[in-house]
Amino acid sequence: KQEVTQIPAALSVPEGENLVLNCSFTDSAIYNLQWFRQDPGKGLTSLLLIQSSQREQTSGRLNASLDKSSGRSTLYIAASQPGDSATYLCAVTNQAGTALIFGKGTTLSVSS
Amino acid sequence: EAQVTQNPRYLITVTGKKLTVTCSQNMNHEYMSWYRQDPGLGLRQIYYSMNVEVTDKGDVPEGYKVSRKEKRNFPLILESPSPNQTSLYFCASSFGGSALDTQYFGPGTRLTVL
């Protein structure tokens, strides 16, 4: 059964720092991987979707990489800002393509 | 504005009193699903729908019902709520008939069952 793990559970950094969030999954036979952002009291916002055939995707200050063989993905955030403070979730699609399997998230706090 | 809406956003109810949480999307998406989020357990899928009149169970369907009579709406029904259904509920949708496309989530419904 696919399991998704995110380490660390929480991270605090000063503004301006570059940082990496980690996501690992147990079954490398995935269709794609998505990174989401969750703000308190709000829903999840999709940040990046990486297809299984891709190695990375970029959107602004965000860069997500995927290494299927090792079961890992990283989300790189450049020049962090206080507005980046949120919980970041990664998810892979299950084998049937009917559901997302989520990690428990990394809560990021960026101080000014 | 393209969005997924949920109502109500907050609900406190008592054990056994039937309730419905509505979900609506205005993006003509085929796929819709419901998740619950609990501390320490993360997000888990309750039910999903690949198209009108096509629904199926997710990982935690016990105590819930759904229907998909129209493409835009996917209500979640709790016929006899119990305290273990206290949770944060999210509706999601995507363009294709599966979970393979970018998922768009609603703002969440915080449910408390006393």
Side-chain angles (χ1 to χ4, degrees), chain B:
Chain B
E1 179 190 355
Q3 60 183 347
V4 179
T5 57
Q6 294 178 227
N7 282 294
R9 295 288 313 280
Y10 303 91
L11 180 61
I12 301 174
T13 189
V14 295
T15 299
K17 186 176 181 182
K18 181 179 178 180
L19 66 92
T20 299
V21 183
T22 64
C23 172
S24 183
Q25 49 89 9
N26 62 0
M27 297 171 278
N28 201 37
H29 284 173
E30 291 191 0
Y31 174 90
M32 298 184 75
S33 65
W34 278 101
Y35 291 83
R36 61 178 288 174
Q37 186 177 35
D38 302 288
L41 296 176
L43 282 137
R44 295 173 294 167
Q45 190 187 58
I46 304 170
Y47 268 96
Y48 66 93
S49 170
M50 291 185 159
N51 213 325
V52 175
E53 302 291 3
V54 180
T55 64
D56 207 345
K57 297 176 181 178
D59 290 329
V60 288
E62 294 77 20
Y64 304 94
K65 285 177 58 176
V66 294
S67 68
R68 186 95 182 270
K69 293 184 171 59
E70 305 166 282
K71 199 171 188 178
R72 64 183 297 134
N73 297 322
F74 190 45
L76 180 69
I77 303 158
L78 286 73
E79 297 216 324
S80 184
S82 62
N84 64 13
Q85 293 178 297
T86 292
S87 187
L88 180 58
Y89 291 87
F90 290 103
C91 179
S93 72
S94 63
F95 182 70
S98 72
L100 297 180
D101 297 314
T102 297
Q103 298 293 300
Y104 295 83
F105 280 78
T109 295
R110 186 167 292 281
L111 172 66
T112 301
V113 183
L114 302 174

Side-chain angles (χ1 to χ4, degrees), chain A residues 1 31-32 34 36 38 41-49 51 87 89 93-94 96-104, chain B residues 9-10 31 33 35 37 40-45 48 50 59 88 90 97-108:
Chain A
K1 182 181 176 183
Y31 293 107
N32 57 38
Q34 296 187 51
F36 293 88
Q38 183 175 16
K42 296 186 180 180
L44 283 68
T45 302
S46 179
L47 298 172
L48 291 163
L49 183 153
Q51 300 291 351
T87 296
L89 297 157
T93 311
N94 67 358
T98 57
L100 295 181
I101 301 169
F102 284 88
K104 292 185 172 57
Chain B
R9 295 288 313 280
Y10 303 91
Y31 174 90
S33 65
Y35 291 83
Q37 186 177 35
L41 296 176
L43 282 137
R44 295 173 294 167
Q45 190 187 58
Y48 66 93
M50 291 185 159
D59 290 329
L88 180 58
F90 290 103
S98 72
L100 297 180
D101 297 314
T102 297
Q103 298 293 300
Y104 295 83
F105 280 78

